[in-house]
Amino acid sequence: MAVEITLSGTVSEEMIIQNPEIVVSSTSLTGFAYVENNGPSAVQTVEVSGTDLNGSDVLVTASSDYEVSEDGTTFTEMVGLVTFDGTATTLYTRLKSGLSAGNYNGTLSITGGGIPTAVEVALSGAVTEELNPSIVVSSTSLTGFAYVENNG
């Protein structure tokens, strides 16, 4: 007589521990500058890549005095890297136009993709005062010009 034993169990997928990470090519961009009423500044770039991201959108937000772009042409305060898979992507940043003379410090803040805390790129720049050109002369009149005819 055979004895029957009932067995049960489940097969599950291999558990993969993921550590999502976003990496930037530089943690600070400095030297953004322009003369008042002549903005925006020249563009600077930073490369963003990642590993073990969960496939959700990654959001890049520039602080209020800066702008960011994914294509180097259309600049806004925020760019969404839709379903960012971690492939290296270049972001373009500039100090926005219309600012008064002064120093401007800010950040690019990168969130999403399953990373636990935002990755930040420090930004610093300055708008210098517009100079009003003027002419300075040492005297308002000059006298004593003379010569003998045909010898001048």
Side-chain angles (χ1 to χ4, degrees), residues 7-111:
L7 303 173
S8 67
T10 58
V11 176
S12 60
E13 293 182 32
E14 180 180 344
M15 187 172 171
I16 299 173
I17 298 173
Q18 292 187 342
N19 294 312
E21 180 181 30
I22 289 181
V23 178
V24 291
S25 59
S26 178
T27 56
S28 68
L29 298 175
T30 61
F32 292 98
Y34 67 88
V35 175
E36 197 172 24
N37 297 318
N38 291 294
S41 71
V43 171
Q44 293 188 45
T45 61
V46 64
E47 192 171 275
V48 177
S49 59
T51 56
D52 292 334
L53 302 176
N54 67 10
S56 65
D57 296 351
V58 170
L59 189 61
V60 181
T61 307
S63 55
S64 63
D65 300 316
Y66 288 86
E67 297 173 310
V68 63
S69 172
E70 191 176 2
D71 63 9
T73 303
T74 305
F75 285 85
T76 61
E77 290 183 1
M78 191 180 315
V79 168
L81 304 177
V82 180
T83 60
F84 183 60
D85 66 359
T87 303
T89 300
T90 300
L91 295 175
Y92 304 83
T93 306
R94 68 185 184 187
L95 187 59
K96 68 170 54 172
S97 64
L99 299 173
S100 300
N103 295 320
Y104 293 91
N105 296 317
T107 58
L108 278 183
S109 181
I110 305 164
T111 58

Side-chain angles (χ1 to χ4, degrees), residues 121-137:
V121 177
L123 307 172
S124 67
V127 175
T128 55
E129 190 174 338
E130 184 176 26
L131 300 177
N132 293 319
S134 61
I135 298 174
V136 177
V137 292

